[in-house]
């Protein structure tokens, strides 16, 4: 009996150690968007931007943010995860949540209108104590981008969408890829 209990504990510990982690301090680096555009839901126009501006307001204003994120071939065999960081200089109000979708556009540079939204990948909620958006596994069970094999050599095409009737998420975007555990501001793909 003792041997069985010890063996089960060892197997459990081994599985736990092998399971991927998305602890922010475990990342080796971060890939940022190469293109970011604000999609105006009211008139369908996409405008280049240097910040996320995902808003749903009572006055009828609604925007989402489109991202194009090229994943380097050197990340073959690595694990990736969505990371969104904001500072006190950013504007986060209302539900403070974002739904993340993948999109079907070929090249965001050449997409003046429309968003070509496809499948929801996750819901995240802002944690003011850490400055990070954490995965909301109650609002969206089994997020597909909490931990996934890095699509090395491919480009991710994502969109952040407001949640609820009032949600304001305006976050300055850093545009330099980062090596090391310190996440850039805005949306990025962390890898380890």
């Amino acid at each position: 009996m003792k041997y069985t209990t010890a063996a089960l504990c060892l197997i459990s510990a081994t599985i736990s150690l092998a399971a991927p982690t998305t602890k922010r301090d475990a990342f080796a680096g971060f890939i940022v968007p190469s293109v970011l555009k604000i999609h105006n839901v009211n008139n369908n126009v996409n405008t280049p931007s240097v910040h996320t501006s995902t808003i749903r307001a009572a006055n009828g204003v609604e925007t989402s943010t489109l991202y194009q994120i090229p994943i380097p071939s050197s990340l073959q065999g690595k694990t990736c995860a969505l990371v969104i960081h904001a500072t006190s200089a950013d504007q986060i109000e209302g539900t403070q949540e974002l739904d993340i979708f993948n999109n079907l556009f070929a090249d965001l540079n050449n997409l003046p209108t429309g968003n070509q939204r496809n499948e929801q990948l996750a819901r995240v909620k802002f944690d003011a104590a850490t400055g990070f958006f954490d995965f909301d596994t109650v609002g969206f069970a089994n997020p597909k981008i909490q931990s996934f094999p890095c699509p090395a050599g491919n480009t991710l095409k994502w969109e952040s969408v407001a949640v609820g009737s009032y949600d304001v998420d305006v976050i300055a975007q850093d545009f330099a890829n980062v090596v090391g555990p310190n996440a850039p501001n805005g949306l990025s793909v962390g890898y380890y």
Side-chain angles (χ1 to χ4, degrees), residues 92-166:
I92 312 293
E93 299 174 9
T95 62
Q96 303 180 354
E97 293 178 289
L98 296 169
D99 282 341
I100 307 296
F101 290 81
N102 68 4
N103 295 69
L104 300 174
F105 55 79
D107 179 9
L108 187 53
N109 279 312
N110 297 315
L111 187 70
T113 61
N115 58 353
Q116 300 183 23
R117 186 179 301 161
N118 189 26
E119 174 187 20
Q120 186 173 354
L121 303 173
R123 175 170 288 173
V124 293
K125 182 161 182 64
F126 184 63
D127 179 350
T130 65
F132 286 91
F133 282 75
D134 296 324
F135 288 92
D136 176 1
T137 55
V138 174
F140 184 83
N142 304 314
K144 293 177 170 74
I145 53 177
Q146 186 171 12
S147 175
F148 60 100
C150 291
N154 292 300
T155 299
L156 298 171
K157 298 155 187 172
W158 288 349
E159 179 181 17
S160 62
V161 177
V163 176
S165 58
Y166 177 68

Side-chain angles (χ1 to χ4, degrees), residues 17-190:
L17 290 173
T21 177
T22 56
K23 282 182 61 179
R24 286 179 280 278
D25 59 358
F27 288 115
F30 302 85
I31 304 302
V32 297
S34 60
V35 182
L36 186 150
K37 287 187 175 182
I38 306 306
H39 174 70
N40 185 316
V41 174
N42 300 319
N43 66 15
N44 211 31
V45 171
N46 299 327
T47 306
S49 183
V50 295
H51 60 272
T52 289
S53 181
T54 298
I55 298 171
R56 184 175 296 136
N59 62 2
V61 170
E62 186 168 358
T63 60
S64 64
T65 306
L66 302 169
Y67 311 88
Q68 185 165 292
I69 310 159
I71 305 299
S73 298
S74 61
L75 296 188
Q76 183 69 40
K78 302 278 188 192
T79 300
C80 282
L82 166 72
V83 177
I84 303 176
H85 181 259
T87 68
S88 59
D90 297 313
Q91 183 182 5
I92 312 293
E93 299 174 9
T95 62
Q96 303 180 354
E97 293 178 289
L98 296 169
D99 282 341
I100 307 296
F101 290 81
N102 68 4
N103 295 69
L104 300 174
F105 55 79
D107 179 9
L108 187 53
N109 279 312
N110 297 315
L111 187 70
T113 61
N115 58 353
Q116 300 183 23
R117 186 179 301 161
N118 189 26
E119 174 187 20
Q120 186 173 354
L121 303 173
R123 175 170 288 173
V124 293
K125 182 161 182 64
F126 184 63
D127 179 350
T130 65
F132 286 91
F133 282 75
D134 296 324
F135 288 92
D136 176 1
T137 55
V138 174
F140 184 83
N142 304 314
K144 293 177 170 74
I145 53 177
Q146 186 171 12
S147 175
F148 60 100
C150 291
N154 292 300
T155 299
L156 298 171
K157 298 155 187 172
W158 288 349
E159 179 181 17
S160 62
V161 177
V163 176
S165 58
Y166 177 68
D167 192 17
V168 175
D169 302 283
V170 180
I171 306 165
Q173 178 67 51
D174 289 337
F175 284 99
N177 290 338
V178 174
V179 175
N182 298 323
N185 208 56
L187 182 142
S188 63
V189 175

